[in-house]
Amino acid sequence: SQQGEEDPQALSIQEGENATMNCSYKTSINNLQWYRQNSGRGLVHLILIRSNEREKHSGRLRVTLDTSKKSSSLLITASRAADTASYFCATDYNTNAGKSTFGDGTTLTVKP
Amino acid sequence: SQTIHQWPATLVQPVGSPLSLECTVEGTSNPNLYWYRQAAGRGLQLLFYSVGIGQISSEVPQNLSASRPQDRQFILSSKKLLLSDSGFYLCAWRQETSYEQYFGPGTRLTVT
């Protein structure tokens, strides 16, 4: 079964609003990553947070990790229409081969 | 800089026909390589990964096979396609010492 499960499945907001997506996982992880996928394209790596980190920032992105609750959240501030995409969390359970387990993603629509 | 190529971009094949999808990486050496399949609206399912030439690990039993004839070449094959093989196939690579994966543009396979 998949480690990461995103919530909500779909999110629709207005440009300028913040978007929050959540990811839950089941077993201990070494790190958690967030990826973005534009429709019909490959995934693009956004940010990685290690199991000993609680929060990480990159531009308009903020990721938190709560290992006690086995959950992570991705916050996109001041969203833009260009942020419209699907967002996936990926958990790493085998560091030797980097076998990341991906959730089903959250589809974000930002309306101009 | 590193680049990953996948081809073809789209493919329509009849049931029972063979398949060969190719992925090549430029600008790095000894990468870990991955084949994923993505069903519509879903996350990524890891099919195969490779940590070196000739070293292939299969994640799920299926109608597909993979080979790594050269350090930066990863091939996904099938002798006889099934309808259930339809999907979006993504190749990815990562450095052995890193967790971030870099994805190719994908191949949209439709089996008719």
Side-chain angles (χ1 to χ4, degrees):
Chain A
S1 62
Q2 291 182 332
Q3 268 269 53
E5 295 185 3
E6 290 88 345
D7 170 63
Q9 289 185 331
L11 180 61
S12 182
I13 59 174
Q14 293 293 134
E15 205 165 28
E17 295 179 339
N18 295 341
T20 300
M21 289 158 268
N22 303 296
C23 171
S24 60
Y25 57 92
K26 297 177 181 176
T27 60
S28 297
I29 59 172
N30 295 302
N31 59 67
L32 185 144
Q33 303 178 61
W34 285 92
Y35 289 80
R36 166 195 169 125
Q37 183 181 34
N38 285 65
S39 180
R41 308 292 295 272
L43 278 70
V44 174
H45 184 266
L46 295 177
I47 198 165
L48 177 150
I49 187 165
R50 300 182 188 279
S51 58
N52 62 354
E53 296 176 311
R54 291 298 167 258
E55 188 170 311
K56 206 161 182 180
H57 296 256
S58 177
R60 293 184 295 111
L61 305 180
R62 185 180 82 128
V63 170
T64 61
L65 180 64
D66 187 334
T67 52
S68 66
K69 295 181 179 180
K70 293 186 171 58
S71 67
S72 173
S73 67
L74 170 67
L75 168 67
I76 304 174
T77 59
S79 63
R80 306 166 182 168
D83 294 327
T84 295
S86 292
Y87 293 83
F88 296 88
C89 70
T91 50
D92 292 311
Y93 62 94
N94 183 327
T95 53
N96 287 336
K99 293 191 295 181
S100 300
T101 303
F102 289 79
D104 283 344
T106 292
T107 300
L108 173 65
T109 303
V110 181
K111 300 175 183 177
Chain B
S1 64
Q2 299 88 4
T3 310
I4 179 168
H5 302 279
Q6 268 188 261
W7 65 90
T10 59
L11 192 59
V12 180
Q13 293 284 100
V15 168
S17 63
L19 173 74
S20 181
L21 303 181
E22 189 162 343
C23 171
T24 59
V25 181
E26 296 177 356
T28 188
S29 60
N30 197 33
N32 287 357
L33 295 171
Y34 306 85
W35 276 113
Y36 293 91
R37 178 169 59 203
Q38 185 179 31
R42 301 298 301 277
L44 277 63
Q45 178 188 34
L46 179 62
L47 301 176
F48 301 94
Y49 70 93
S50 172
V51 299
I53 296 175
Q55 299 178 60
I56 308 294
S57 294
S58 175
E59 286 297 291
V60 292
Q62 57 207 325
N63 186 40
L64 302 168
S65 63
S67 62
R68 184 172 177 174
Q70 299 181 42
D71 181 44
R72 290 168 289 180
Q73 184 184 30
F74 206 21
I75 297 173
L76 183 69
S77 303
S78 173
K79 293 182 179 178
K80 289 185 178 182
L81 284 169
L82 305 172
L83 285 174
S84 57
D85 292 324
S86 293
F88 191 50
Y89 288 82
L90 288 159
C91 180
W93 73 274
R94 74 165 192 124
Q95 300 273 16
E96 188 176 2
T97 55
S98 175
Y99 296 109
E100 293 88 347
Q101 292 190 28
Y102 301 92
F103 286 80
T107 294
R108 176 78 57 192
L109 171 66
T110 303
V111 183
T112 60

